Amino acid sequence: MIGALGILVAIGGFLFLWTMLSYHTMNKIKHQLDELKENMEQLSQANDTASIEQLKVYQKRYSVKKYDYNEMVNEMPSKMVATMFRLKPVS
């Protein structure tokens, strides 16, 4: 009986840690998306060549991060965590 309870506690602990890691990863990517979006808005106002090239780099990074985030939110098993915490895909 005690062994079965220990196994249940271990499984519960693993699920809790996995959920928190998934949530943390999705929030980290979302935060990076917001920072990249702010940087792109600031650089779009400048007209010099260096800013335009940096803007292209930020746009590429933004699209990769957006893809990663949307993939995590839409695919199992991370979709369960996204649903639980009401995380939506980035459009």
Side-chain angles (χ1 to χ4, degrees):
M1 181 71 179
I2 294 175
L5 183 61
I7 291 172
L8 288 176
V9 168
I11 291 171
F14 173 76
L15 290 175
F16 175 77
L17 290 175
W18 176 80
T19 302
M20 290 297 110
L21 180 64
S22 296
Y23 179 70
H24 172 72
T25 303
M26 286 188 272
N27 268 345
K28 183 179 175 184
I29 293 173
K30 180 79 167 162
H31 181 67
Q32 290 171 347
L33 280 172
D34 293 339
E35 286 180 358
L36 286 171
K37 194 170 189 176
E38 288 176 14
N39 289 339
M40 288 187 326
E41 289 173 0
Q42 291 174 356
L43 284 176
S44 65
Q45 297 171 355
N47 290 329
D48 58 355
T49 308
S51 295
I52 293 172
E53 294 202 12
Q54 189 66 31
L55 180 61
K56 290 178 184 178
V57 171
Y58 282 155
Q59 287 172 339
K60 288 178 186 175
R61 286 183 188 166
Y62 183 82
S63 65
V64 169
K65 292 287 183 186
K66 180 178 163 184
Y67 176 78
D68 290 344
Y69 178 79
N70 286 340
E71 188 175 292
M72 281 191 80
V73 170
N74 290 323
E75 291 186 0
M76 288 294 196
S78 297
K79 185 176 183 176
M80 294 183 296
V81 176
T83 303
M84 186 170 54
F85 290 109
R86 295 184 177 95
L87 300 173
K88 304 286 184 208
V90 176
S91 57

